[in-house]
Amino acid sequence: MTEVIEPAIETVTIDVVLSALADPVRLTLVRAFDAAGDWACGSDVVRSTGVTIGKSTLSHHIKVLRDAGLIRTRVDGVRRLVMLRYDDVERRFPGLLALLRGDGRAAT
Amino acid sequence: MTEVIEPAIETVTIDVVLSALADPVRLTLVRAFDAAGDWACGSDVVRSTGVTIGKSTLSHHIKVLRDAGLIRTRVDGVRRLVMLRYDDVERRFPGLLALLRGDGRAAT
DNA sequence: CGTACTGTTCGACGCGGATCGAACAGTACG
DNA sequence: CGTACTGTTCGATCCGCGTCGAACAGTACG
């Protein structure tokens, strides 16, 4: 099997999504996956962000994001590739991804 | 003085907003204030939602929402009136309020 | 088969935050 | 002034969750 179970986007609530995005590490992950654009190895991505966490912690965050319907996981040999569910997320929560990558970060 | 200090909307980051909205009680509060449409007493609003919390807890949540730039507080005699910062929030985080009141709640 | 690597699972730990009650501040009113 | 009411502030408590390490599972490769 090369696919990992993920919730149907219709069953995902905005409440769960907000809880998932509330954590700074997960928010960084989502932005990094968004910057990657397509399938990327979670370990490589987190390494590129400069965030230092254990692999068990990363596995935990990946699971939370997957349960929140934000990402999709595929098995590729010994490693797992992750990708944002662009279409699903945009259809169910229009404008959400734009808010995350928007300029609502720095202050003026 | 009839106004309570609130952060300039430009200084508010999406990270803080997401953290503020991650709590179920605060999310309920925002939706209730949104449904109210204009100035409303926090105690009355929370009572209408059926949520039962102490007044100190409510005061805490109101402060978190205010620091997140989502609501505005005005002093009216012995009570404080609260209102969503519709224009500011919509300008800084377009589509955010729509996401909260959207149908991203129930599953089909 | 044995080794090496990636990632998951399972307990356990620690901290931040939600919650409460009590005390205090400010206003309205008689 | 004294009483009553609303809301804030301050400690204290409690619990969820992020974090880690160790053990385990699955794959690749010689």
Side-chain angles (χ1 to χ4, degrees), chain B residues 19-80:
Chain B
S19 298
L21 295 177
D23 182 79
V25 173
R26 285 195 291 267
L27 195 54
T28 302
L29 281 176
V30 170
R31 283 168 175 153
F33 285 131
D34 184 29
D38 62 342
W39 297 103
C41 175
S43 300
D44 296 344
V45 167
V46 69
R47 212 167 297 136
S48 71
T49 62
V51 178
T52 56
I53 55 176
K55 58 180 181 178
S56 57
T57 303
L58 173 62
S59 186
H60 164 67
H61 285 312
I62 295 289
K63 174 172 171 51
V64 172
L65 290 176
R66 183 171 49 237
D67 292 346
L70 296 174
I71 64 175
R72 175 172 292 135
T73 301
R74 191 182 66 175
V75 179
D76 176 64
V78 71
R79 40 178 57 190
R80 314 297 172 94

Side-chain angles (χ1 to χ4, degrees), chain A residues 1-68:
Chain A
M1 129 248 304
T2 58
E3 286 288 347
V4 179
I5 56 164
E6 66 193 19
I9 199 63
E10 292 79 16
T11 66
V12 178
T13 66
I14 188 65
D15 306 50
V16 176
V17 173
L18 290 174
S19 299
L21 295 177
D23 182 79
V25 174
R26 285 195 290 267
L27 196 54
T28 302
L29 280 177
V30 170
R31 283 168 174 152
F33 285 131
D34 184 30
D38 62 342
W39 297 103
C41 175
S43 300
D44 296 345
V45 167
V46 70
R47 212 167 296 138
S48 70
T49 62
V51 178
T52 55
I53 55 176
K55 57 180 182 176
S56 58
T57 303
L58 173 61
S59 187
H60 165 66
H61 286 312
I62 294 289
K63 174 174 172 51
V64 172
L65 291 176
R66 189 189 321 121
D67 291 346

